[in-house]
């Protein structure tokens, strides 16, 4: 292993992962469990389906259809303890700078802390700051929602466009879609993220500028895509409104940590909603970055969502690991990633409103734990973050489920469903939920050749119709997709990611890969725009692509 290069942290006291006793025990134990079928595990324990469940904060998790025994669980929990998960959770909640590469605290939990709590960062209680911003957002949202905030020509705002990317987009767009049922239907919400001009053009094509409000959401206020879109939006507004510079203040607000850049853009900093460097982009949908969410669902529902987050924060912080939902989810994903060579993990919400939830989770999980270097600066010799993907059910069943059922890969699945529908129509909801239960059953138990034959299938067709089964899944059931339930669900996965990152000993809170992307294109833009033939110093492929593009666009 290479010499550590990171500054020492409390975590460096923990042995390298593969040297931890519980890890070594899991390696040996996995050899036995790999040969076990879920059919056997269920047949041997008639109460398994009731036993391996846990409920907290209104979320019910059935993890019985996993390829685990009681011994697996014992060892995974031991791994959590020996990895210092308890200490690391406490360190996060205490506001310690656990994001060591950026020297920052990691305090998204402070964003939903009740007013009377105290969480210190560098000796300052940040909870009052959070509530100050929440109050400012509330006042603003109320003014827009009741028509008091008017545009340049005196008309109320009818259209709200959030301009942001990555963490400043995926959370807001996911939350808007998820909570649409609770949103004001007379307000139109659009989300512009891509630097591809089509995104902006399509978002505003049917909007009147004098009824449109732009929220420029950017922690740094320097992100290429967001600033390009924000400038395009300003040009579009001024063109549509007759060039009155003063209109910018009425049609633009900002969510950022960078007041200087916000002012430079021409947005009145009185209309800027702040947050802090201890809120990571992908952990920011419940900060001021959620302003569009608050405008859509109203301040009260927004606070209900925060309360949902907080309930799961408290559960994560206090529940014993064996009954701790995020810890169990995190450990199970480590189990498949590192001991079963599972490359991916599918998120399958059986709830149309959660159609953007898998995309949101992709960033949360993969940007957080897509790392190959430990907190001590060593290269890992085990696999970290799996690929997360998914689509809402039942649509996925008619496309990619085939590969999960009868392909050659192991794909652990999280099924997410709600007992009550927000749109109860005839039999729809029973049918939807029947599919959830049927899929997890089929994945786990499959269909044996004997069963297929007994159905009268001709011999030659039998192998094609056999389902191996033994495909693991979790089922997460909640009552109804309310704002609070969404908060709970997001917090569940945030802390699942935290658990994974702790076991893998990586920093789940930096994103140097994203930073690289932010810098790379900057060098090529002038080469594409240059009037004269630029001198190119890339590799031959990149040079050739640039030349071809320049030639063809003329
Ligand atoms: C999230 C990442 C990244 C970030 C975007 C937008 O954790 O850091 O997705 O949110 O790059 O950054 P700005 O908010 O600074 O524009």
């Amino acid at each position: 292993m290479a010499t550590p290069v990171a500054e020492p942290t409390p975590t460096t006291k923990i042995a390298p992962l593969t040297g931890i006793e519980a890890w070594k025990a899991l390696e040996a134990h996995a050899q036995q469990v790999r040969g076990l079928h879920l059919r056997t595990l269920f047949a041997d324990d008639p109460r398994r389906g009731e036993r391996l469940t846990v409920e907290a904060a209104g979320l019910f998790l059935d993890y019985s259809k996993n390829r685990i025994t009681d011994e697996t669980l014992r060892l995974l929990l031991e791994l959590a303890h020996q990895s210092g998960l308890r200490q690391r959770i406490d360190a996060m909640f205490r506001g310690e700078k656990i994001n060591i590469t950026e020297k920052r605290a990691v305090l998204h939990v402070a964003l939903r802390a009740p007013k009377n709590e105290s969480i210190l960062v560098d000796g300052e209680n940040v909870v009052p700051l959070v509530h100050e911003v929440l109050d400012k957002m509330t006042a603003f949202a109320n003014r827009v929602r009741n028509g008091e905030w008017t545009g340049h020509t005196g008309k109320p705002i009818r259209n709200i466009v959030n301009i942001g990317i990555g963490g400043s987009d995926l959370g807001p767009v996911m939350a808007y879609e998820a909570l649409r049922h609770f949103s004001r239907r007379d307000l139109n919400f659009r989300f512009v993220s891509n630097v591809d001009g089509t995104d902006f053009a399509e978002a505003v094509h049917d909007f009147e500028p004098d009824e449109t409000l732009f929220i420029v959401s950017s922690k740094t206020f320097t992100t290429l895509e967001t600033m390009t879109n924000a400038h395009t939006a300003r040009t579009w507004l001024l063109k549509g409104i007759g060039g009155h510079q003063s209109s910018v203040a009425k049609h633009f607000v900002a969510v950022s940590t960078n007041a200087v850049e916000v002012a430079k853009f021409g947005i009145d900093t009185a209309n800027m909603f702040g947050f802090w460097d201890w809120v990571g982009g992908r952990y920011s949908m419940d900060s001021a970055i959620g302003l569009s969410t608050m405008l859509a669902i109203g301040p009260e529902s927004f606070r209900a969502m925060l309360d949902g987050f907080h309930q799961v924060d408290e559960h994560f912080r206090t529940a014993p690991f064996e009954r701790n939902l995020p810890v169990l989810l995190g450990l199970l994903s480590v189990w498949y990633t590192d001991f079963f060579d599972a490359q991916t993990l599918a998120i399958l919400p059986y709830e149309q409103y959660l159609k953007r939830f898998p995309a949101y989770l992709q960033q949360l999980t993969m940007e957080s734990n897509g790392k190959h270097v430990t907190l001590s600066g060593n290269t890992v010799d085990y696999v970290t973050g799996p690929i997360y993907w998914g689509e809402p059910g039942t649509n996925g069943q008619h496309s990619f489920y085939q590969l999960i059922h009868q392909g050659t890969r192991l794909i652990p699945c999280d099924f997410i469903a709600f007992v009550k529908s927000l749109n109860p129509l005839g039999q729809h909801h029973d049918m939807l939920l029947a599919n959830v239960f049927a899929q997890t059953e089929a994945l786990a138990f499959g269909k044996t050749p004997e069963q297929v034959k007994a159905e009268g299938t001709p011999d030659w067709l039998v192998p094609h119709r056999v389902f191996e089964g033994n495909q693991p899944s979790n089922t997460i059931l909640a009552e109804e997709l309310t704002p609070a339930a969404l908060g709970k669900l997001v917090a569940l996965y945030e802390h699942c990611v935290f658990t994974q990152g702790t076991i893998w000993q990586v920093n789940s809170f930096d994103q140097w890969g994203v930073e690289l992307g932010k810098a790379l294109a900057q060098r090529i833009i002038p080469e594409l725009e240059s009037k004269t033939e630029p001198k190119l110093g890339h590799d031959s492929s990149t040079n050739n692509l640039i030349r071809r593009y320049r030639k063809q666009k003329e």
Side-chain angles (χ1 to χ4, degrees):
M1 225 176 242
T3 317
V5 289
E7 292 181 14
T9 69
T11 324
T12 53
K13 285 192 204 124
I14 288 165
L17 177 56
T18 48
I20 289 179
E21 285 308 314
W23 181 270
K24 289 192 259 178
L26 277 162
E27 278 177 325
H29 172 74
Q31 308 279 5
Q32 300 152 16
V33 178
R34 269 189 227 120
L36 281 177
H37 200 289
L38 280 164
R39 282 183 209 127
T40 317
L41 291 170
F42 272 83
D44 289 351
D45 174 7
R47 289 198 57 250
R48 182 180 171 96
E50 291 144 52
R51 225 165 40 80
L52 301 189
T53 63
V54 54
E55 187 167 10
L59 296 176
F60 176 80
L61 168 67
D62 175 349
Y63 61 100
S64 63
K65 294 190 183 94
N66 278 294
R67 294 171 63 174
I68 54 170
T69 64
D70 288 352
E71 177 64 1
T72 319
L73 267 179
R74 191 187 68 75
L75 290 173
L76 285 171
L77 292 166
E78 198 48 45
L79 177 66
H81 289 297
Q82 292 176 12
S83 297
L85 180 60
R86 168 63 53 214
Q87 294 86 324
R88 206 162 156 79
I89 293 173
D90 291 345
M92 170 171 73
F93 278 85
R94 264 200 312 269
E96 272 181 37
K97 297 194 174 163
I98 60 170
N99 174 358
I100 55 158
T101 60
E102 296 180 307
K103 296 191 164 61
R104 289 174 181 168
V106 173
L107 274 182
H108 40 280
V109 292
L111 297 169
R112 50 263 191 160
K115 240 181 186 153
N116 55 357
E117 275 190 21
S118 167
I119 300 176
L120 303 182
V121 177
D122 294 327
E124 184 185 17
N125 181 9
V126 297
V127 179
L129 308 181
V130 167
H131 284 269
E132 224 172 85
V133 174
L134 274 175
D135 291 345
K136 185 172 170 182
M137 289 164 67
T138 301
F140 174 73
N142 283 336
R143 286 182 69 195
V144 173
R145 285 166 62 88
N146 65 25
E148 209 181 293
W149 178 288
T150 52
H152 182 69
T153 59
K155 287 197 202 159
I157 296 299
R158 290 185 52 225
N159 314 314
I160 291 153
V161 182
N162 185 75
I163 298 180
I165 197 164
S168 301
D169 167 70
L170 284 160
V173 74
M174 180 279 286
Y176 171 68
E177 291 295 346
L179 301 176
R180 223 183 169 130
H181 185 80
F182 303 87
S183 74
R184 276 272 296 268
R185 302 296 181 136
D186 57 340
L187 294 175
N188 301 306
F189 288 84
R190 303 265 164 85
F191 298 83
V192 176
S193 52
N194 200 333
V195 77
D196 182 339
T198 299
D199 205 9
F200 180 82
E202 285 295 337
V204 299
H205 84 279
D206 53 348
F207 285 177
E208 293 298 333
D210 62 347
E211 297 175 334
T212 303
L213 175 78
F214 292 98
I215 306 174
V216 186
S217 295
S218 176
K219 184 171 169 180
T220 53
F221 228 73
T222 54
T223 304
L224 173 85
E225 291 89 339
T226 302
M227 296 328 295
T228 306
N229 280 318
H231 281 102
T232 300
R234 190 170 58 185
T235 307
W236 176 83
L237 172 84
L238 292 175
K239 190 167 166 234
I241 251 167
H244 300 282
Q245 290 291 341
S246 59
S247 62
V248 172
K250 297 203 158 172
H251 292 272
F252 279 84
V253 296
V255 179
S256 188
T257 56
N258 190 345
V260 175
E261 287 298 323
V262 169
K264 263 197 219 158
F265 182 85
I267 296 177
D268 185 348
T269 47
N271 300 326
M272 167 180 154
F273 301 86
F275 60 119
W276 307 271
D277 71 357
W278 41 261
V279 183
R282 56 194 173 277
Y283 297 89
S284 69
M285 61 165 275
D286 47 341
S287 70
I289 290 289
L291 186 62
S292 57
T293 314
M294 189 189 269
L295 284 162
I297 64 173
E300 220 170 284
S301 295
F302 192 83
R303 283 176 200 253
M305 181 181 82
L306 296 184
D307 183 59
F309 270 102
H310 181 66
Q311 286 184 45
V312 171
D313 293 344
E314 281 306 283
H315 166 72
F316 181 54
R317 192 175 67 81
T318 59
F321 290 168
E322 63 274 18
R323 281 190 279 118
N324 197 311
L325 271 81
V327 171
L328 289 169
L329 271 191
L331 290 173
L332 287 166
S333 53
V334 169
W335 173 239
Y336 294 117
T337 303
D338 292 294
F339 300 100
F340 282 74
D341 287 336
Q343 304 286 318
T344 79
L345 209 152
I347 301 291
L348 308 168
Y350 278 65
E351 168 55 74
Q352 187 62 21
Y353 284 124
L354 288 183
K355 65 180 182 191
R356 296 288 289 165
F357 194 63
Y360 170 77
L361 277 193
Q362 282 189 330
Q363 183 191 24
L364 182 68
T365 56
M366 299 205 275
E367 202 169 282
S368 296
N369 288 335
K371 310 284 162 68
H372 74 285
V373 170
T374 67
L375 290 161
S376 319
N378 295 317
T379 303
V380 299
D381 50 2
Y382 44 86
V383 178
T384 63
I387 296 157
Y388 277 75
W389 59 285
E391 279 288 324
T394 56
N395 299 26
Q397 290 174 208
H398 296 264
S399 62
F400 57 80
Y401 277 40
Q402 166 63 35
L403 184 145
I404 312 180
H405 281 293
Q406 285 190 306
T408 53
R409 292 169 194 277
L410 180 86
I411 302 180
C413 302
D414 284 359
F415 286 81
I416 302 170
F418 297 86
V419 173
K420 291 184 192 158
S421 170
L422 291 164
N423 296 295
L425 292 177
Q427 272 186 294
H428 282 254
H429 203 61
D430 285 344
M431 286 181 180
L432 180 71
L433 271 281
N435 274 284
V436 177
F437 304 145
Q439 285 296 329
T440 69
E441 187 177 26
L443 287 169
F445 302 104
K447 210 181 238 186
T448 62
E450 294 70 37
Q451 287 171 312
V452 177
K453 271 186 207 152
E455 287 170 355
T457 310
D459 281 356
W460 67 269
L461 192 54
V462 169
H464 299 275
R465 300 194 57 177
V466 166
F467 292 78
E468 194 64 33
N470 220 10
Q471 288 284 355
S473 67
N474 291 306
T475 304
I476 299 164
L477 265 185
E479 192 185 344
E480 194 173 35
L481 180 54
T482 57
L486 182 70
K488 290 173 191 180
L489 210 49
V490 174
L492 171 69
Y493 280 98
E494 283 177 347
H495 300 320
C496 163
V497 164
F498 185 96
T499 302
Q500 296 171 335
T502 300
I503 303 293
W504 289 321
Q505 303 186 357
V506 298
N507 182 1
S508 306
F509 305 104
D510 61 10
Q511 56 284 314
W512 298 103
V514 175
E515 311 303 333
L516 172 74
K518 288 187 180 187
L520 280 183
Q522 295 291 358
R523 181 175 158 208
I524 297 183
I525 294 167
E527 294 171 347
L528 301 186
E529 292 185 331
S530 158
K531 292 274 174 285
T532 55
E533 200 57 38
K535 201 167 163 295
L536 299 176
H538 307 274
D539 58 275
S540 60
S541 159
T542 311
N543 286 346
N544 191 37
L545 288 167
I546 292 172
R547 282 192 202 108
R548 190 179 173 84
Y549 173 78
R550 283 181 58 88
K551 201 156 163 235
Q552 285 197 346
K553 78 170 183 163
E554 270 156 22

